[in-house]
C-alpha cells in the first residue's frame, strides 16, 4: 500500500492507503508548510519546508518533528539525493543550502549568487525578490544538480553546488518544476511559465516540448519511472487563471516520445475546479493533486481517473506531494 505526504500551505498531512481509501494524519498544523521531501533510502525520514520557519525533520513518518535550524526562514523547495542522502533547501530570497548529515548542519552554496544573471532575477508578484522554486539532484550522480529560480532561469552544477553554469540553452527561465528520470541517466524535464522542455545530456542543453498544447503556462510535472519518453505536465492559460480564485482553465497533459501532448480526461472533472499543483508518477499509477485539496488517481497512465477516497478530515489545499 502507498503512502503520500502532502504540504497544504498550513501543515503536513500523511496519507496512508488501505482497503481502497486513504487515511489522513495531520501534523505541523499552523506552520505554513510549503514543500515536503522524503528520503528515498529511508522513507520514514521526511523533511518539511516552512514559509517563514525553515526546515523541520521527522524520522518517524511525520508523527514528530525537530527544527533543523536552517539559516534562512523562507523555504520554497526541498530535495533529498537518492545517491548520497544530501538534503537541499531553496529559499526566498534566492539561496541554496545543503546538508550532508540529515539536516543537522547546513552549508550555504552561495556560488549560485555569483551567476551573471542574478541581477535580473525577479518574482513578478514580489519584484524586489526571487526564490529557488525547485531543486533536483540527479539520482545517478551525487554531484550533479539542477536548480530553478522563479523567475531567473535553470541553473546547473556538476560539482555539488560549488560552482554553477548560468541559465541553460533552450530551457524556460520561469522555472516551476524539474525532474530527472530515475533509471535512464541524462534525461531531465522542466515545466515552466512559457512551456515545457527536456534534456538528454544531463541538463547541459534543453529542447522545447510544446506541440499539441493550447495552454503554455505549465506548472506540475511527472515522468513515468519505467519509460523516459512518457511524461506529464499540468498547464493553464496563464498565472492569473492558474492561481486566482476563478476557473483555472487547466488540463493535465501526457506526452509519449515525439508525439504531441494530449489532454487527459477519462473521468477528471471538466472543467477542472482547481489547478493541478502536483503530479506524482509511480509504477503504473499517476496522482494529480489539485490546489483545492482534491486528490485524483489514474491506474493506467492517465487513460482513466477516479477521485481518491479519503477517510476522516479531507484536505482543503495542496501545495506539494511526495511519495514515500
Amino acid at each position: 500500500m502507498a503512502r503520500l505526504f502532502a504540504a497544504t500551505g498550513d501543515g503536513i498531512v500523511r496519507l496512508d492507503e488501505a482497503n481502497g481509501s486513504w487515511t489522513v494524519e495531520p501534523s505541523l498544523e499552523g506552520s505554513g508548510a510549503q514543500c515536503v521531501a522524503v528520503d528515498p533510502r529511508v522513507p520514514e525520514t521526511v523533511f518539511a519546508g516552512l514559509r517563514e520557519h525553515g526546515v523541520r525533520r521527522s524520522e518517524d513518518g511525520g508523527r514528530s518533528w525537530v527544527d533543523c535550524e536552517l539559516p534562512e526562514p523562507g523555504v520554497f523547495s526541498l530535495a533529498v539525493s537518492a545517491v548520497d542522502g544530501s538534503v537541499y533547501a531553496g529559499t526566498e530570497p534566492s539561496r541554496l543550502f545543503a546538508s550532508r548529515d540529515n539536516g543537522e548542519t547546513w552549508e550555504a552554496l552561495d556560488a549560485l549568487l555569483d551567476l551573471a544573471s542574478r541581477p535580473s532575477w525577479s518574482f513578478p508578484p514580489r519584484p524586489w525578490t526571487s526564490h529557488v522554486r525547485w531543486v533536483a539532484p540527479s539520482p545517478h550522480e551525487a554531484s550533479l544538480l539542477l536548480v530553478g529560480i522563479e523567475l531567473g532561469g535553470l541553473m546547473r552544477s556538476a560539482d555539488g553546488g560549488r560552482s554553477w553554469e548560468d541559465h541553460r540553452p533552450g530551457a524556460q527561465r520561469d522555472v516551476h518544476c524539474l525532474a530527472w528520470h530515475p533509471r535512464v541517466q541524462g534525461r531531465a524535464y522542466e515545466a515552466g511559465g512559457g512551456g515545457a522542455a527536456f534534456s538528454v545530456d544531463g541538463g547541459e542543453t534543453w529542447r522545447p516540448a510544446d506541440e499539441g498544447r493550447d495552454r503554455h503556462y505549465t506548472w506540475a510535472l511527472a515522468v513515468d519511472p519505467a519509460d523516459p519518453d512518457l511524461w506529464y505536465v499540468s498547464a493553464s492559460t496563464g498565472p492569473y487563471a492558474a492561481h486566482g480564485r476563478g476557473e483555472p482553465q487547466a488540463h493535465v497533459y501526457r506526452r509519449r516520445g515525439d508525439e504531441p501532448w494530449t489532454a487527459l480526461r477519462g473521468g477528471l472533472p471538466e472543467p477542472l475546479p482547481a489547478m493541478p499543483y502536483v503530479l506524482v508518477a509511480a509504477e503504473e499509477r499517476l496522482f494529480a493533486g489539485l490546489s483545492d485539496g482534491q486528490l485524483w488517481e489514474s491506474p493506467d497512465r492517465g487513460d482513466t481517473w477516479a477521485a481518491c477516497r479519503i477517510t476522516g478530515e479531507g484536505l482543503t489545499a495542496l501545495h506539494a506531494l511526495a511519495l514515500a
Side-chain angles (χ1 to χ4, degrees), residues 146-194:
L146 299 176
V147 161
I149 305 295
E150 190 179 32
L151 191 158
L154 195 163
M155 317 309 181
R156 180 181 186 270
S157 175
D159 56 10
R162 290 170 178 80
S163 65
W164 293 87
E165 301 162 6
D166 214 329
H167 178 68
R168 305 315 305 143
Q172 288 287 323
R173 286 190 179 274
D174 186 13
V175 184
H176 294 152
C177 188
L178 297 168
W180 295 93
H181 195 271
R183 297 176 185 170
V184 179
Q185 195 159 354
R187 298 295 295 268
Y189 313 82
E190 177 194 14

Side-chain angles (χ1 to χ4, degrees), residues 34 126 183 185 188 196 224 270-271 276-277 288:
Q34 299 291 307
R126 297 186 294 279
R183 297 176 185 170
Q185 195 159 354
D224 188 282
E270 290 193 53
Y277 268 4

Side-chain angles (χ1 to χ4, degrees), residues 222-225 230-233 251-256 261-270 279-288 296-306:
V223 58
D224 188 282
L230 177 58
W231 53 303
Y232 310 86
V233 296
H251 290 303
V252 177
Y253 293 87
R254 178 177 63 199
R255 176 183 168 101
R256 296 181 186 270
W261 291 96
T262 301
L264 301 178
R265 293 177 171 88
L268 284 172
E270 290 193 53
L279 297 172
V280 175
E283 299 294 339
E284 298 187 359
R285 305 179 74 178
L286 178 63
F287 297 94
W296 290 75
E297 180 188 356
S298 171
D300 49 19
R301 296 181 168 89
D303 286 337
T304 62
W305 295 82

